[in-house]
Amino acid sequence: MNNNIEQLQKEYQEVPIPEELDMIVSRSIQQSLKRNRNKRTKYKWFASAGTAALIFLIAINASTSVANALSSIPGVDRIIKVLTFREYIVEEPNYDANIKIPAITNMDNKALELGLNNKYLSENKALYDKFQAEMNDLKKQGGGHLGLDTDYEVKTDNDRIFSIGRYVVETVGSSSMVVTFDTIDKKNQILITLPMLFKDNQYIERISDNIKEQMKAQMKADPDKVYWLSETDDDVPPTEEFKTIAEDQSFYINSDGKLVIVFNKYDVAPGYMGSVEFVIPTEAIAGDLVSDKYIQ
Amino acid sequence: MLNRKTENLLTRCITENKENVYRLAYSYVRNKDDALDIVQDSIYKAMTHIELLKNPAAMKSWFYRIVVNTSLDFLRRNKKVDTMDHEMIETYSPGTEDVYSDMDLKRTLEDLPVKYRSVIVLRYFEDLKIEEVAEVLNENVNTIKTRLYQALQLLRVRMKDDTSKEIT
């Protein structure tokens, strides 16, 4: 037996370093630095908006007449549609959780409002409990790192449509990000689902084809972009390949009245691409739409 | 900004260790493109979650841990991990002498379950201290010692005396 660790070590050291490495490393550093800068300014903005929301919340809770007075002022009515209802924060060495729960107010359809708010509350409570359990487990095992961040963003708020997106980022060495959206028809006070917008199931194929076209075009225009499409890249593992959207794929309707399809991190592209969105041109789906009420 | 300084340190740490982490990633995925992807993903994760690094002195271990976890994630997602059942482990353990004596060394290392491969690579190839290996793999020192011992058993590597002293 001449198996020898030194020989294995030599083989390891002889793995050639590709020339792209330098470029990839410095590019990744630059991109992340840029992202960090953006994130910081965004957080600052959130912080001040958060304070404002808190004052609103206190005022509204303190007196229903304040709430009524606020909602009767034109313009203010929009601002108080969504509030940070509750925040859970864990700040311990190695363990971070920052959970923001939105609450929708001022809807005429109280059953829907209550349903959505209960959903937000129970989902976030479940995440928080899970985080606590994992944290205690890790502590028993002698420590580790854990992070949880949930937040929300109002994507669209116009006369007709209200879209709210919620983000869950879990960090355990690597991070995963899950995005979910709720879109409400303000006039009829109903929750809009994707299948409801279309006459039949044809939309799945129609939208998927359009997204594939967009992926191809984006990859052609920018070599930094990668999507898991088998037609352009033979290395794509069959399990990862993007074939079609789900029947109830995440979506929202943007302020231009366009349908936007959203994928979670890792779903259709490598992790560094993050969560990706595609705006579907209305012409591509016009024939399948039930009406042009929501999507124009 | 509080993070600015750590950010600079991390940038330097990444740049200094880029070839090491490339080899580390390569030892898991065994191909250039995937290893480069992992390096890129790891840098992105480390830089954008710098606030999770609580102890700047342990920066290198922390970054290595991200690389190891990203590699393992990748393997898991691509189902390239060969799972070993009891019979296979039996075959590899001492007692069935010479069955694999002709086997290519590289194959031998590749055939180790990842948890053993990780300790071998980090301890002997990346030359980390046992304590650092424990930090990277998020295990306690004794677990790492045991695992290293088992890994060497599996590899049936004849170690020099001075190195075996290190693990006892």
Side-chain angles (χ1 to χ4, degrees), chain A residues 1 3-9 11-13 15-18 20-22 24-25 27-29 32-33 35-37 39-40 94 96 143-145 171 173-175 228 237 240 266 271-272, chain B residues 1 3-4 7 11 14-15 18-19 22-24 26-27 32 36 39-41 43-45 47-49 52 54 65 69 73 77-78 105-106 121 124-126 138 152 155-158 160:
Chain A
M1 281 289 287
N3 270 17
N4 194 311
I5 215 88
E6 272 161 29
Q7 198 170 334
L8 284 170
Q9 194 177 15
E11 278 175 36
Y12 182 84
Q13 296 300 345
V15 168
I17 298 295
E20 305 98 288
L21 182 70
D22 283 357
I24 284 177
V25 167
R27 195 182 63 200
S28 313
I29 291 176
S32 341
L33 282 175
R35 210 191 111 112
N36 282 357
R37 304 278 173 274
K39 197 166 69 176
R40 265 174 220 148
N94 301 357
D96 276 295
H145 295 267
T171 314
S174 69
S175 71
W228 284 321
E240 305 293 354
Y266 299 119
Y272 73 89
Chain B
M1 274 297 157
N3 277 341
R4 223 25 98 73
E7 211 172 66
T11 310
I14 292 171
T15 321
K18 61 186 171 194
E19 300 197 345
Y22 171 79
R23 288 205 173 93
L24 181 59
Y26 189 93
S27 76
K32 185 187 97 179
L36 284 172
V39 172
Q40 181 170 335
D41 256 6
I43 293 174
Y44 201 66
K45 282 174 191 166
M47 297 287 293
T48 51
H49 291 90
L52 295 175
K54 292 294 148 91
R65 174 155 74 228
N69 287 342
D73 266 357
R77 294 178 62 76
N78 290 282
L105 279 176
K106 223 156 70 186
V121 168
Y124 294 110
F125 304 168
E126 285 299 331
N138 216 349
L152 292 176
L155 274 178
R156 283 189 291 150
V157 181
R158 294 276 147 84
K160 282 196 224 138

Side-chain angles (χ1 to χ4, degrees), chain B residues 96-135:
Chain B
T96 51
E97 199 120 23
D98 286 335
V99 180
Y100 285 92
S101 57
D102 288 330
M103 233 173 127
D104 183 18
L105 279 176
K106 223 156 70 186
R107 276 299 293 162
T108 321
L109 186 65
E110 261 174 76
D111 283 340
L112 277 187
V114 276
K115 68 171 187 177
Y116 296 123
R117 217 194 309 168
S118 299
V119 290
I120 293 276
V121 168
L122 292 169
R123 175 66 191 91
Y124 294 110
F125 304 168
E126 285 299 331
D127 207 25
L128 299 186
K129 297 195 192 75
I130 297 272
E131 290 74 21
E132 291 173 323
V133 178
E135 253 172 46

Side-chain angles (χ1 to χ4, degrees), chain A residues 12 22 49 60 74 86 143 241 255 259 276 286:
Chain A
Y12 182 84
D22 283 357
I60 292 158
R86 195 173 288 176
E241 189 196 332
S255 45
L259 179 67
V276 286

Side-chain angles (χ1 to χ4, degrees), chain B residues 7 10 13 15 22 25 36-37 41-42 44 59-60 81 88 93-95 106 112-113 116 122 149 161 165:
Chain B
E7 211 172 66
L10 181 60
C13 172
T15 321
Y22 171 79
L36 284 172
D37 269 0
D41 256 6
S42 306
Y44 201 66
M59 186 177 274
K60 189 177 159 191
V81 187
M88 272 182 87
S93 41
K106 223 156 70 186
L112 277 187
Y116 296 123
L122 292 169
Y149 178 75
D161 284 342
K165 231 180 276 161

Side-chain angles (χ1 to χ4, degrees), chain A residues 138-157:
Chain A
L138 276 174
K139 276 184 183 166
K140 260 181 236 150
Q141 290 167 18
H145 295 267
L146 212 55
L148 174 67
D149 240 305
T150 77
D151 208 340
Y152 61 88
E153 188 181 337
V154 175
K155 284 285 189 184
T156 311
D157 185 7

Side-chain angles (χ1 to χ4, degrees), chain A residues 81-282:
Chain A
K81 284 279 195 247
V82 170
L83 307 165
T84 299
F85 174 64
R86 195 173 288 176
E87 282 194 62
Y88 293 106
I89 293 176
V90 178
E91 264 185 353
E92 287 183 40
N94 301 357
Y95 304 99
D96 276 295
N98 193 343
I99 299 175
K100 280 207 185 107
I101 307 174
I104 296 176
T105 61
N106 245 7
M107 275 178 68
D108 292 333
N109 183 344
K110 289 295 165 198
L112 177 59
E113 181 184 302
L114 193 68
L116 287 171
N117 287 339
N118 280 346
K119 180 174 84 170
Y120 298 157
L121 199 59
S122 61
E123 280 179 7
N124 279 290
K125 185 76 175 52
L127 283 168
Y128 180 72
D129 290 344
K130 192 178 134 226
F131 181 84
Q132 286 281 352
E134 281 175 3
M135 185 171 85
N136 290 335
D137 268 2
L138 276 174
K139 276 184 183 166
K140 260 181 236 150
Q141 290 167 18
H145 295 267
L146 212 55
L148 174 67
D149 240 305
T150 77
D151 208 340
Y152 61 88
E153 188 181 337
V154 175
K155 284 285 189 184
T156 311
D157 185 7
N158 56 27
D159 293 345
R160 177 107 230 171
I161 298 287
F162 179 83
S163 276
I164 177 169
R166 289 171 301 128
Y167 304 81
V168 179
V169 180
E170 287 183 274
T171 314
V172 193
S174 69
S175 71
S176 72
M177 181 169 176
V178 176
V179 197
T180 41
F181 290 93
D182 288 311
T183 296
I184 297 161
D185 172 350
K186 280 186 176 175
K187 288 233 172 86
N188 299 320
Q189 302 270 325
I190 46 165
L191 190 67
I192 301 171
T193 63
L194 195 55
M196 188 174 121
L197 295 170
F198 298 96
K199 289 178 197 148
D200 51 36
N201 271 352
Q202 294 261 324
Y203 73 91
I204 299 179
E205 205 186 319
R206 200 94 47 171
I207 294 177
S208 304
D209 287 347
N210 184 275
I211 290 176
K212 283 182 199 165
E213 291 305 317
Q214 292 196 38
M215 285 176 169
K216 272 187 249 171
Q218 285 188 28
M219 284 193 279
K220 212 172 164 189
D222 182 354
D224 286 353
K225 292 200 169 166
V226 176
Y227 294 103
W228 284 321
L229 268 188
S230 60
E231 297 148 61
T232 48
D233 184 355
D234 297 334
D235 295 338
V236 176
T239 47
E240 305 293 354
E241 189 196 332
F242 171 69
K243 290 200 184 77
T244 67
I245 59 165
E247 196 183 327
D248 55 349
Q249 186 70 43
S250 279
F251 77 100
Y252 65 90
I253 297 169
N254 69 15
S255 45
D256 302 332
K258 296 266 192 304
L259 179 67
V260 184
I261 297 286
V262 186
F263 295 97
N264 288 332
K265 185 176 174 182
Y266 299 119
D267 275 2
V268 294
Y272 73 89
M273 299 276 296
S275 159
V276 286
E277 298 187 352
F278 293 92
V279 180
I280 308 298
T282 307

